[in-house]
Amino acid sequence: MRAMKTAARMDSIGTETAFEVSARARALEATGKSIVYLQIGEPDFDTPENVREAAKAGLDAGLTHYPPYAGLPDLRAAIAADTTARRGFTVEPSKVFVTVGGKGVMVYAIMALIDPGDEAIVPDPGYPIYESITRFVGGTPVPIPIRMENDFRLDVDELAALITPRTKLIVINSPANPTGGVLTRGDIERIAELAIRHDLVVLSDEIYARILYDGAEHVSIASLEGMAERTIVLDGFSKTYAMTGWRMGYAVVPDWLVKPFGQLIINTISGVTAFAQAGAIEALRGPQTDVDAMVVEFKARRDLIVDGLNAIPGFRCNKPQGAFYVFPDISGTGMTGAELAEGLLVDAGVCVLAGTSFGGVGVDHIRISYANSRENLQEALERIRAYVGARTPARA
Ligand SMILES: Cc1ncc(COP(=O)(O)O)c(C=O)c1O
């Protein structure tokens, strides 16, 4: 039966619970149960029309062949110009790689950098794939706790204490999934100092950089002195332009990673769907009014969900400054996040994720994605209130 056994490395790969929970919720729905879906990080808006039209035109114009493996030259130029303008450091198109989703960037970055035994510091709670792929390649993920008490910003002193001679990579993600936390310029400057002092590489996941509220500032660590040469910037089209199904992301890498990134792309995907890239060019170069309108709407939804959750006994929810997630502490309900998520799905028909889907620190939390209509959010709040109310004994 040797042939029927997977390679040992498959024992160390993790998962992204959102996809599994979604399948379970859809199966429940098929049995006739009504479900409000708040588990997945996906804007409910359609991709803007100009972007869809550009991809259709690309298809008709013959973009049906293999594209250059690193991306269409025009798209790489558009990404380089956009990054230079928005992030404030000069990027040449040769440092840009178009990938299948932003997820592709994290997989390539970790594969290119982590040897067995190397350590990568990853946020906890954080996007689960950083940890999963680090283990998959034989590395050791070292969690840096991210706490609500610190507005879901990492504590830079704590980060410094986690650095060892085996540390190779620090992963940061601001604005963050699953908390919506945003690092300040001061935080980023101190992280950069540590990276330079200890000769570390930074994977900066900036996929929510455009989804910011209350005047919060996005600072790309790559824009700080001495950092572009040791930073991989991850961004993509999924969130900003409501293009999750297009599977388009990109990396901006330092010179010394240009060849490795190219080799990894050639070895895995050969390049990204050519006509989809035509849509992405239009996304960056066309009007940005749809993006702005989406952010205005996300902000209204954030306020609705934060106020609604804070009115439920046992919930404590901060007001995040970015992304489209909240990560309330629900310990006051007497349940763990996993117990509450299970009960909400099965009994109340509200699909959320347990905080532990993002690391051990989130045990008392659930994650809610509020990228859903206000009407559905209102309905979810009512269902959660009723479910929790029925379980929490009324206080005298
Ligand atoms: C923090 C973070 N990074 C990257 C991604 C990957 O997105 P995509 O592969 O759709 O570009 C996600 C998606 O949820 C995310 O939350």
Side-chain angles (χ1 to χ4, degrees):
M1 291 295 278
R2 201 179 79 91
M4 314 290 260
K5 198 173 172 311
T6 54
R9 77 176 73 84
M10 287 308 294
D11 295 341
S12 51
I13 200 162
T15 190
E16 185 175 352
T17 320
F19 288 99
E20 294 175 351
V21 173
S22 303
R24 209 177 137 216
R26 273 194 293 270
L28 269 177
E29 194 173 42
T31 68
K33 192 167 178 64
S34 148
I35 308 276
V36 183
Y37 291 91
L38 303 182
Q39 82 290 9
I40 196 114
E42 165 162 76
D44 58 322
F45 307 109
D46 288 331
T47 302
E49 192 181 355
N50 59 317
V51 177
R52 286 184 274 137
E53 290 304 324
K56 288 184 213 167
L59 199 48
D60 290 337
L63 283 175
T64 54
H65 300 272
Y66 284 124
Y69 66 87
L72 294 180
D74 242 13
L75 179 54
R76 295 175 84 196
I79 293 168
D82 187 75
T83 304
T84 302
R86 289 183 193 283
R87 293 190 164 90
F89 68 106
T90 306
V91 176
E92 293 125 41
S94 60
K95 311 248 184 86
V96 173
F97 287 88
V98 180
T99 56
V100 175
K103 202 178 235 173
V105 179
M106 61 187 81
V107 174
Y108 297 144
I110 293 167
M111 286 180 85
L113 292 168
I114 298 294
D115 272 323
D118 282 348
E119 294 172 4
I121 299 181
V122 300
D124 177 357
Y127 193 61
I129 304 306
Y130 315 133
E131 179 191 337
S132 171
I133 298 295
T134 300
R135 280 194 206 288
F136 189 60
V137 300
T140 305
V142 176
I144 166 94
I146 313 279
R147 300 190 186 84
M148 193 157 112
E149 288 64 41
N150 198 32
D151 273 333
F152 291 123
R153 292 157 42 222
L154 62 79
D155 175 329
V156 185
D157 294 326
E158 221 171 339
L159 175 67
L162 292 175
I163 296 172
T164 76
R166 297 310 307 255
T167 309
K168 182 86 190 275
L169 178 70
I170 302 176
V171 180
I172 58 174
N173 171 218
S174 177
N177 177 8
T179 62
V182 177
L183 295 170
T184 63
R185 178 176 286 278
D187 296 333
I188 302 268
E189 283 171 355
R190 292 184 61 212
I191 297 167
E193 260 170 51
L194 283 176
I196 290 170
R197 182 160 7 117
H198 296 277
D199 192 22
L200 306 174
V201 182
V202 175
L203 168 61
S204 184
D205 184 340
E206 303 180 14
I207 202 150
Y208 298 102
R210 300 273 300 270
I211 306 177
L212 279 171
Y213 317 110
D214 311 327
E217 178 193 21
H218 175 67
V219 182
S220 177
I221 197 165
S223 68
L224 303 186
E225 180 76 31
M227 285 305 295
E229 64 217 50
R230 57 176 70 249
T231 303
I232 298 148
V233 176
L234 178 162
D235 201 347
F237 298 85
S238 287
K239 318 290 177 177
T240 310
Y241 298 97
M243 288 169 66
T244 45
W246 295 57
R247 309 306 307 123
M248 300 258 329
Y250 58 87
V252 178
V253 307
D255 260 341
W256 58 277
L257 277 173
V258 164
K259 186 144 184 268
F261 258 70
Q263 284 169 312
L264 286 165
I265 288 175
I266 290 168
N267 273 270
T268 51
I269 57 171
S270 305
V272 175
T273 314
F275 56 87
Q277 295 192 46
I281 295 169
E282 172 62 19
L284 290 173
R285 291 193 175 147
Q288 303 294 302
T289 39
D290 285 318
V291 178
D292 298 338
M294 285 190 259
V295 175
V296 168
E297 177 57 25
F298 283 142
K299 180 175 183 293
R301 295 172 183 186
R302 176 200 65 169
D303 294 345
L304 187 158
I305 197 90
V306 169
D307 292 346
L309 291 174
N310 278 323
I312 297 175
F315 275 64
R316 280 193 305 130
C317 188
N318 72 330
K319 194 170 267 197
Q321 287 190 305
F324 39 61
Y325 308 105
V326 285
F327 200 69
D329 179 319
I330 55 83
S331 55
T333 63
M335 286 177 263
T336 64
E339 287 163 351
L340 179 60
E342 178 65 20
L344 286 177
L345 175 61
V346 175
D347 295 334
V350 181
C351 190
V352 302
L353 296 182
T356 42
S357 297
F358 303 90
V361 171
V363 64
D364 287 331
H365 296 256
I366 57 171
R367 189 199 74 170
I368 291 177
S369 162
Y370 57 83
N372 204 326
S373 67
R374 295 192 215 186
E375 199 188 346
N376 284 342
L377 293 175
Q378 203 68 61
E379 173 65 25
L381 283 167
E382 272 157 36
R383 292 185 188 191
I384 297 172
R385 199 189 335 259
Y387 176 80
V388 171
R391 259 144 210 85
T392 318
R395 291 201 182 84

